[in-house]
Amino acid sequence: MKNLTKTIVFMMLIGLSQWSFAQKNKNTKLANKEAFIQELISKMTVDEKLGQLTLYTSDMSVTGPVMRDNYKQDIMSGRCGNIFNAYTPAYTRKLQDLAMQSRLKIPLLFGYDVIHGHKTIFPIPLGESCAWDTLLSEQSAKIAAAEASADGLHWTYSPMVDVARDPRWGRVAEGSGEDPILGSAIARAKVKGYQGSSLKNKESILSCVKHFALYGAPIAGRDYNTVDMSQQNMFNVYLPPYKAAIDAGAASVMSSFNEINGVPATANKWLMTDLLRKQWGFKGFVVTDYTSINEMVNHGNVANEYEAGVAALNAGIDMDMQGAVYMTYLKSAVEKNDVKLADIDAAVYRILDAKWQLGLFENPYLYCDESRAKQTIMTTANLEAAEQTAIASMVLLKNENNLLPLKTSGKIALIGPFVKNKRDLIGNWSGAGNWTQAKNLWDAVQSRTAGKATISYAMGANVTDDTLLIQKMHIQEFIDKRSAETLLNEAIAVASEADIIVMALGESEGMSGEAASRSDIGIPSNQMQLLKTIHALGKPIVLLLSNGRPLTLSWENDHIPAILETWFLGTQSGPAICKVLFGDANPSGKLTMSFPRNVGQVPIYYAAKHTGRPFDNSQKYTSKYLDIENTPLYPFGYGLSYTQFIYSNLKLNKSQYKEKDTIEACIEVQNTGERDGYEIIQLYVQDLVGSSTRPVKELKKFAKLHLKAGQRKQIYFKLATDELCFYNANMERVLEPGTFKLFVGKNVVDVMETTFDLSAK
Ligand code: BGC
């Protein structure tokens, strides 16, 4: 018996030492990334290589037209190396188990659209951008990454950095608005937040910059439509945010659905190889958007899917999302010499490199930890951060006679489809967010006013009465089936009893986002009827807006005394809005997209060019509309506060600068009101004469300042002359001497102004 025990212990020791030898051996091998990956590639069959270039959705949910059957068999046979739309530690573990049954046991990479939070949902990106706060942007990405990685995910399809200047395009909701400088700052912050300082840290995930490129400029604002743009506009306006994200170390890039000047992005070698890799030095991998290789047959730049696959691989696309084109056709393309095996190997290398960086070869189950999911997801701290971000994202558009903030007394009626609504609050692309956990306005106001004010409610109208739209958005279950008249009468009765009326109106979440372009960007007509009817009662009205894009609000601006833009603020919507409504928080957001007066002005953006016939109302032949002003209703950078800020003493350190100088601007800002508050200060430049015409104003710097009531502070901006460079007609990045105007102010219109000269050399 004693001997037997000895033998067992001895054998265990041998086993242990063999295991630790194998482990050590594996670790030593793993330490040399390049050798490890190259050795792995040398063992792979062509099918296994194409498997690594293949990304399929799981059966959890889909965002596009094609479902892939048998993806689980594909994983086991090494024909699928990457999965999206699968999360939770248990489910990803189950799928990873399948990959561990494949011949080479290469771990799966799990991707997902974690766009504005994973389970704790933050404001939609357009809303969050109105905070002009890169630390908040980074923080929300960091929390999203921590929650997503704890839920089994490795990779998010974010940030979306497409500059967008046409609010008809529904996807403006997913980006940071119309400006390249602000967009670039937010892009950098997002990448930093998702990826942290090292991808080895299991709280970090790979980011994916999308949609490369120019997806935000479809003709007429119709999603997926053609993009036709000058190179100058690309390089001066649309490309900088992608570049900023890549310079910040973004691990992956997603190709866009659109064509660019005749060649779809997914087959665009100039874009994917010459610009992205050669000029910008991008080292990560490029994934297509959903079936965008297949869709090139519809674009008409190729005759069939075989040609589409060849064109995509040869352009520099590494991974095929959902379309199975690489898997189906590239083996024969190699045999026919239409693609080089070396190019496939290079693409495989880049994907294995990402898996290596995430630590998946050391432990494929690193992100499948149930206990971490429980500790990390929807914690009090995460919810607080979401609420803080929601508060910072709101934009006060109008506040006549300081109607806001409301007093917690009297009779307050809350009317509209967004008062008790939870479904829409988390917005679209709300990932794994559960809308039933979102907090609505009604509950928040009830607890805030308990025992102090009387509150009452009527829905007044459905979000829309358009039956076709209701069908398209799958919102039948949220529709109150009573007649429009009954709903309206109920609202009139409730409003008639009230001292003040808060109306929560807007778009449902599905009216913006992907495939949700609108030609009329007003509040839906049935809600407008409700608003006009209640307005006719002659009582004070506060209008709260929920929406994913700039809306046309001319009537509202003319008739309603207080308007607060609340976007879709996420899980903590209700408490955040309630805090601003009753003055527990002071709104400070500023618009990152111009709000047009009517849709005929679209596209409208502040950094426009002069024309040869500038607007002059007294002259017929000048650039204008006969029926509306040229200016937007609410300009870029605009937003009010419950306090007032006065700007004075704009000064520059010099009036003449040379090429290597730094322009130092200083301005004084004083909070002259009675409340503490944040002010977002913006610095713009106008280059008066350029070899190519220059925009009337370009944002160059911004800062967010906290000022106590009565407090005055000086704020300094440093602008390198390099930041005045632009791409000229020969596509050279140049700094041109001459006179510049420099403006500092509270929005693009309301500014102080000075000038400086830049001399050659
Ligand atoms: C969207 C992408 C998204 C992808 C995966 C596509 O339809 O354009 O933004 O990342 O689906 O869900």
Side-chain angles (χ1 to χ4, degrees), residues 332-404:
S332 62
V334 172
E335 284 156 12
K336 290 187 199 154
N337 222 8
D338 286 335
V339 302
K340 293 198 201 89
L341 193 57
D343 289 339
I344 290 182
D345 287 353
V348 173
Y349 186 99
R350 293 192 275 262
I351 288 153
L352 297 182
D353 186 358
K355 295 183 179 185
W356 186 93
Q357 289 188 57
L358 288 164
L360 292 177
F361 286 109
E362 282 157 65
N363 179 4
Y365 300 101
L366 191 62
Y367 296 76
C368 308
D369 173 353
E370 270 87 356
S371 64
R372 188 157 83 88
K374 284 199 195 96
Q375 287 156 20
T376 311
I377 292 176
M378 292 194 91
T379 60
T380 312
N382 293 0
L383 293 172
E384 272 168 13
E387 189 169 316
Q388 183 196 15
T389 312
I391 289 170
S393 303
M394 277 178 260
V395 185
L396 182 62
L397 297 175
K398 189 175 172 196
N399 195 18
E400 210 169 77
N401 300 326
N402 294 328
L403 182 58
L404 284 173

Side-chain angles (χ1 to χ4, degrees), residues 63 84-85 113 157 171 174 210-211 215 254 257 289-290 321 429 514:
T63 54
F84 69 124
N85 293 329
D113 290 280
Y157 304 142
R171 301 196 81 170
E174 297 170 53
K210 70 185 190 186
H211 306 81
Y215 183 44
M254 186 185 291
F257 285 126
D289 203 342
Y290 204 107
M321 185 195 288
W429 287 116
E514 186 172 356

Side-chain angles (χ1 to χ4, degrees), residues 55 57 61-65 84-85 111-115 156-158 160 162 171 174 208 210-211 215 223-224 254-257 287-291 295 321-322 429 514-515:
L55 168 66
T57 179
S61 70
V62 254
T63 54
F84 69 124
N85 293 329
Y112 195 51
D113 290 280
V114 181
I115 307 295
T156 176
Y157 304 142
S158 174
M160 180 188 113
D162 306 319
R171 301 196 81 170
E174 297 170 53
C208 182
K210 70 185 190 186
H211 306 81
Y215 183 44
D223 206 3
Y224 316 125
M254 186 185 291
S255 74
S256 55
F257 285 126
V287 62
T288 67
D289 203 342
Y290 204 107
T291 61
E295 290 167 25
M321 185 195 288
Q322 189 61 9
W429 287 116
E514 186 172 356

Side-chain angles (χ1 to χ4, degrees), residues 73-95:
Q73 284 78 354
D74 287 331
I75 296 172
M76 282 191 285
S77 61
R79 293 164 59 90
C80 168
N82 315 281
I83 290 289
F84 69 124
N85 293 329
Y87 57 91
T88 75
Y91 192 50
T92 52
R93 177 181 290 278
K94 219 163 134 185
L95 296 178

